[in-house]
Amino acid sequence: MKIDVLYFAWIRERIGEPRERVDTGASTVRGLVNQLIARDERYAAALSDLSSYRVAADQELVDFDHKLEHVREVAFFPPMTGG
Amino acid sequence: MLIRIQPEPFDLARLLDGFGAGAGAVVTFSGLVRDDTGTMVALELEHYPGMTEKAVTDIAAKAQARWNLIDLAVIHRYGRLPVGEAIMCVATAARHRAEAFEAAEYLMDYLKSRAPFWKREIGPDGPGQWVAAKDADEDALSRWG
């Protein structure tokens, strides 16, 4: 299954890309995170501390147990600072 | 209901022309770029195109329903915004001022912590720190149930 994965703010900077297409067999967001962290230290530096960032699946905030079935786009970003 | 996510400056007076016809109270709030370090020249706001519009529209629709607003507007900018310029504004129109004030506060609380924007300080030498989210901002949401 191929998913568009997006990164924002300091997560984007640590990984070095704003987005990429990831081929994954992961069934949950947590599984996808583990797959990415195992790639190399850039991903580990960006995504290892689960408490430091948020996740959206198809542009809705979700938790790490969210199922990836039918999901087309996952985004990782720091806690938001709007307003 | 007017929602705009844009890089350009906006004209609050123009926005309010004809806004909230029939209302007894209109409340507006504007957020400006503040120099927190003494040497800041601008804020850079990154956002998540697509999700930003959805999240802001969702927050606005909830406020409109909860306070039975006659009208509501949210403009939020992104990109490089110099110190002193407006980042965003909300306007609420209701029959009475309590509803208009409360709805504006609700909008601000949710926009701060649930609209996908990220701020970074720009100093004289270029990009500096990302602005960290505050626990107090997250806690502020709990008062709305």
Side-chain angles (χ1 to χ4, degrees), chain B residues 101-121:
Chain B
F101 271 116
E102 268 191 41
E105 289 218 59
Y106 173 95
L107 286 167
M108 286 313 306
D109 284 350
Y110 274 87
L111 290 170
K112 261 212 167 317
S113 302
R114 292 290 181 272
F117 290 95
W118 301 278
K119 295 185 181 122
R120 168 185 240 177
E121 295 167 356

Side-chain angles (χ1 to χ4, degrees), chain A residues 9 12-13 73 78 81 83, chain B residues 46 48 76 117-120 130:
Chain A
R12 169 179 53 72
E13 291 183 320
E73 181 176 294
T81 53
Chain B
E46 184 169 331
Y48 182 171
H76 204 306
F117 290 95
W118 301 278
K119 295 185 181 122
R120 168 185 240 177
W130 289 98

Side-chain angles (χ1 to χ4, degrees), chain A residues 2-77:
Chain A
K2 286 190 165 56
I3 294 182
D4 288 314
V5 182
L6 282 64
Y7 311 107
F8 292 95
W10 56 258
I11 296 195
R12 169 179 53 72
E13 291 183 320
R14 285 185 194 179
I15 288 170
E17 300 284 347
R19 66 187 298 152
E20 62 181 318
R21 209 160 163 78
V22 176
D23 203 345
T24 184
S27 59
T28 63
V29 169
R30 193 183 300 276
L32 175 64
V33 167
N34 289 337
Q35 177 188 342
L36 292 169
I37 287 173
R39 277 180 169 176
D40 66 46
E41 68 270 17
R42 291 175 305 143
Y43 290 92
L47 301 175
S48 291
D49 180 2
L50 301 189
S51 69
S52 70
Y53 62 95
R54 306 278 180 267
V55 190
D58 289 333
Q59 307 189 349
E60 300 275 354
L61 277 177
V62 297
D63 59 33
F64 288 95
D65 295 322
H66 190 80
K67 298 266 190 293
L68 289 181
E69 202 183 357
H70 307 305
V71 168
R72 284 171 300 178
E73 181 176 294
V74 170
F76 297 103
F77 45 76

Side-chain angles (χ1 to χ4, degrees), chain B residues 14-36:
Chain B
R14 230 170 108 188
L15 171 74
L16 292 176
D17 186 21
F19 178 82
V26 170
V27 164
T28 66
F29 171 86
S30 301
L32 312 181
V33 179
R34 177 184 62 223
D35 179 1
D36 271 342

Side-chain angles (χ1 to χ4, degrees), chain B residues 105 109-110 113 134-145:
Chain B
E105 289 218 59
D109 284 350
Y110 274 87
S113 302
K134 296 187 187 75
D135 290 342
D137 290 337
E138 188 67 31
D139 295 344
L141 299 185
S142 60
R143 69 172 156 149
W144 303 111

